[in-house]
Amino acid sequence: DRDDDDDNNDKLLANIMVATDFSKRSLESLNVIKSLREYVGKVHFVHVIEHYRGRTEYRTKYNDAEILLQDLVEELAVFGIESDFHIMKGVASKKIDELAEHENISMIMMGRGGTDMSNGLELGSTAENVILNVDRSILLLPAEDNDD
């Protein structure tokens, strides 16, 4: 029924994007999604390959990401949550914006900072650029403790 589809598309958790660099903090979203699974429509995992030296390194990074993302999709399937994944190359914040637009994402979940927090800020550059430039609801997950 078309009306039911419209209602589902209006829900905040109807179409979630999880931007991940595979750091522990970027995967904290899985716990949030699992705990809210009855309200979640579909989850789109996205990993953006920004830096690589040549085709061989790109293929290696792509293949590694594909294995890890497939594991995430299978993990959510156990909880009855539909999901898929996207691997893109380019500037992460721009690719996140493009995919959010294309997939009509209702919320983006991501860590406050990724694997490189060398700028000394509490917020990573990708998270900052997504906040400033993407017109979607964004859930920033807390920074990882250094006690691990």
Side-chain angles (χ1 to χ4, degrees), residues 24 44 47-48 50 62 65 75 84 92 111-112 123 126 131 140-143:
K24 183 177 175 183
H44 301 266
H47 175 71
V48 181
E50 289 189 294
Y62 186 97
E75 183 176 343
D84 64 9
R112 290 175 55 107
L123 196 61
T126 299
I131 290 168
L140 288 180
L141 299 161

Side-chain angles (χ1 to χ4, degrees), residues 119-133:
N119 61 9
L121 301 175
E122 293 288 323
L123 196 61
S125 60
T126 299
E128 180 181 10
N129 286 325
V130 168
I131 290 168
L132 292 173
N133 299 304

Side-chain angles (χ1 to χ4, degrees), residues 4 11 26 36 42 49 68 84 87 90-91 94 104 120 127 142:
D4 290 341
K11 294 179 184 171
S26 75
L36 298 170
K42 184 173 183 179
I49 301 171
L68 293 168
D84 64 9
I87 303 171
V91 177
K94 290 181 181 181
N104 194 27

Side-chain angles (χ1 to χ4, degrees), residues 9 15 23 36 40 56 60-61 69 80 98 104 106 113 124 127 139:
N9 288 336
N15 210 19
S23 63
L36 298 170
V40 173
T56 302
T60 299
K61 287 184 174 193
L69 291 165
E98 288 172 16
N104 194 27
S106 55
L139 175 60

Side-chain angles (χ1 to χ4, degrees), residues 10-78:
D10 290 339
K11 294 179 184 171
L12 186 59
L13 300 177
N15 210 19
I16 300 171
M17 176 191 292
V18 175
T20 183
D21 60 4
F22 306 113
S23 63
K24 183 177 175 183
R25 74 179 65 82
S26 75
L27 296 174
E28 283 296 317
S29 58
L30 290 178
N31 294 329
V32 175
I33 291 167
K34 289 176 198 174
S35 67
L36 298 170
R37 64 184 166 270
E38 59 271 8
Y39 306 105
V40 173
K42 184 173 183 179
V43 176
H44 301 266
F45 291 102
V46 62
H47 175 71
V48 181
I49 301 171
E50 289 189 294
H51 308 287
Y52 56 92
R53 290 183 212 124
R55 183 172 287 173
T56 302
E57 184 179 355
Y58 175 76
R59 283 189 187 141
T60 299
K61 287 184 174 193
Y62 186 97
N63 291 337
D64 291 348
E66 189 172 36
I67 291 166
L68 293 168
L69 291 165
Q70 186 59 46
D71 287 347
L72 296 175
V73 167
E74 291 170 8
E75 183 176 343
L76 288 187
V78 169

